Amino acid sequence: MEKIKEIIVKNIMSSDVVSVSPESGVVEAFEALLKNKISCLPVVNQNNETIGIVTTTDIGYNLIIDEYTLETTIADVMTKNVVTIQEDESAVDALKKMDLHGDGREIINQLPVINSENKLVGILSDGDILRAISKLC
């Protein structure tokens, strides 16, 4: 367990992050998710601060049931209470944050990574953590 505590988020995160603005349309965001083969988009303001998040599942499901119109924006549908992680925190810190309630009831698969100025600098997935841990074995 001590070795896992030594894994720092900035060393295993993806720094090539696709994000979206709150003014973007849901169809445009869904296309970006599919085109980039990713499952979530951090929503950032003009200062590159994370203010929300949207997932493929959330948007896709609601598009299928015609819940959205062409005028629906990301600001209308994003999750506003975003769980983020600082780039200098450990993989153990990330795992604890991913287990949202501490009981396995709800798991977060990806965390937006922010720096000390609250700017989006990356994204950390459960797969990133698994790959890092597998290298320790």
Side-chain angles (χ1 to χ4, degrees):
M1 184 61 125
E2 289 305 313
K3 290 225 180 240
I4 297 172
K5 290 180 182 176
E6 295 173 13
I7 300 170
I8 304 302
V9 168
K10 69 181 167 191
N11 296 330
I12 61 171
M13 70 180 191
S14 299
S15 55
D16 186 21
V17 184
V18 179
S19 61
V20 66
S21 76
E23 297 83 23
S24 298
V26 292
V27 173
E28 172 189 349
F30 192 63
E31 288 172 349
L33 287 162
L34 295 177
K35 175 183 169 196
N36 292 287
K37 297 180 181 165
I38 54 177
S39 60
C40 76
L41 286 171
V43 182
V44 295
N45 63 18
Q46 62 275 13
N47 297 321
N48 200 38
E49 297 165 330
T50 304
I51 60 169
I53 197 162
V54 293
T55 68
T56 306
T57 304
D58 294 338
I59 294 177
Y61 173 77
N62 287 301
L63 282 172
I64 289 169
I65 63 170
D66 272 345
E67 187 71 23
Y68 302 145
T69 68
L70 292 176
E71 291 78 35
T72 304
T73 66
I74 291 301
D76 298 327
V77 302
M78 69 184 184
T79 299
K80 294 179 177 94
N81 295 327
V82 185
V83 179
T84 61
I85 188 152
Q86 293 276 328
E87 64 183 343
D88 57 354
E89 290 186 77
S90 75
V92 171
D93 297 326
L95 289 170
K96 288 178 181 176
K97 287 184 178 197
M98 287 176 161
D99 186 5
L100 192 57
H101 301 288
D103 60 7
R105 201 169 32 119
E106 185 176 355
I107 301 292
I108 298 172
N109 296 315
Q110 298 186 33
L111 297 172
V113 181
I114 57 174
N115 64 17
S116 60
E117 293 151 9
N118 203 32
K119 308 286 187 206
L120 180 68
V121 294
I123 193 119
L124 181 71
S125 72
D126 48 6
D128 295 329
I129 297 171
L130 286 171
R131 275 189 290 283
I133 291 171
S134 73
K135 291 177 182 175
L136 296 176
C137 302

